[in-house]
């Protein structure tokens, strides 16, 4: 266990102070995620932009602890599909709480049968029940940022989403984001 502590959120950058590790996911790290493989390759071979960053607090991923992280997803689309996180299951099924900090996005959940979509904005608390895979999507034109709090022994399984998908894909629509069946071909 670590001592009682506070962490200051840095609104301009999505950083934390004090901070643990900061992870950066570029387009090249997101192979196999976007439906339009040609558009993904073009983005990767071009600027290979940072799609999202995850800053973690110093709280360790250990049983009984409640680690926190702040994810910033930069705006953009790949073949019409909004920028998103890889998505994962917690292999030791436990709940997780998200809290919207800035920008506009959504939380896509999938239990292997039924997809769910929770629109996220500053002040919204999104709840992920045990056993639901989750992916975050930036549906706006500015960085979408949220706090996540999860049990320290939940673990992260990325293979599950590659195998099962997330039920839906989230595409830019004329006004609202479009939720389209996951296995459909790029439009
Ligand atoms: C977690 C949270 C969250 C998530 C990031 C990045 O369990 O730690 O769900 O912090 O990890 O938003 O998403 P990916 O882990 O799917 O890349
Ligand atoms: Ni999670």
């Amino acid at each position: 266990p670590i001592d009682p502590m506070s962490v200051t959120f840095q609104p301009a950058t999505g950083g934390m102070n004090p901070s643990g590790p900061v992870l950066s996911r570029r387009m090249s790290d997101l192979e196999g995620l976007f439906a339009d493989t040609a558009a993904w390759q073009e983005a990767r071979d071009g600027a290979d932009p940072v799609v999202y960053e995850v800053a973690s607090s110093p709280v360790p991923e250990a049983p009984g602890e409640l680690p926190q992280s702040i994810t910033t997803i930069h705006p953009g689309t790949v073949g019409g599909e909004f920028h998103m996180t890889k998505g994962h299951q917690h292999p030791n099924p436990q709940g997780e709480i998200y809290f919207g900090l800035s920008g506009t996005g959504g939380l896509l959940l999938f239990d292997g049968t039924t997809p769910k979509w929770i629109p996220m904005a500053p002040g919204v608390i999104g709840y992920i029940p045990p056993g639901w895979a989750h992916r975050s999507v930036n549906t706006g034109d500015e960085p979408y940022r949220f706090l996540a709090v999860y049990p320290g022994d939940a673990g992260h399984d990325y293979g599950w989403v590659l195998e099962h998908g997330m039920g839906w894909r989230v595409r830019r629509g004329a006004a609202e984001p479009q939720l389209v069946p996951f296995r459909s071909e790029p439009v």
Side-chain angles (χ1 to χ4, degrees):
I2 61 169
D3 284 338
M5 61 177 296
S6 69
V7 174
T8 305
F9 161 54
Q10 314 204 285
T13 60
M16 289 173 140
N17 185 22
S19 181
V22 181
L23 192 95
S24 192
R25 293 269 186 240
R26 290 184 176 275
M27 197 61 76
S28 51
D29 297 314
L30 305 181
E31 181 163 15
L33 264 65
F34 295 98
D36 189 337
T37 307
W40 170 76
Q41 278 172 356
E42 195 182 321
R44 177 201 61 186
D45 296 342
D48 193 19
V50 173
V51 177
Y52 63 97
E53 290 146 300
V54 186
S56 299
S57 86
V59 176
E61 290 195 342
E65 302 281 8
L66 281 174
Q68 314 122 58
S69 60
I70 291 172
T71 301
T72 300
I73 308 177
H74 297 286
T77 54
V78 176
E81 199 175 349
F82 284 118
H83 280 184
M84 60 186 175
T85 60
K86 292 172 82 165
H88 59 268
Q89 273 282 17
H90 293 289
N92 178 3
Q94 296 181 75
E96 178 167 9
I97 290 169
Y98 279 17
F99 182 69
L101 295 171
S102 60
T104 312
L107 178 49
L108 179 61
L109 300 107
F110 189 47
D111 65 354
T113 308
T114 309
K116 302 262 184 203
W117 174 249
I118 299 177
M120 292 289 295
V124 175
I125 297 170
Y127 180 60
I128 302 160
W132 287 78
H134 41 287
R135 161 175 288 164
S136 295
V137 184
N138 184 344
T139 57
D141 297 317
E142 55 179 305
Y144 163 54
R145 189 165 283 147
F146 63 94
L147 172 76
V149 184
Y150 56 97
D153 59 354
H156 290 82
D157 175 3
Y158 291 94
W160 191 94
V161 168
L162 290 175
E163 192 179 332
H164 297 90
M166 285 298 299
W168 284 329
R169 294 184 177 280
V170 190
R171 301 181 52 82
R172 190 186 287 282
E176 296 296 312
Q178 281 182 297
L179 300 169
V180 302
F182 191 86
R183 300 292 177 196
S184 69
E185 292 303 310
V187 185

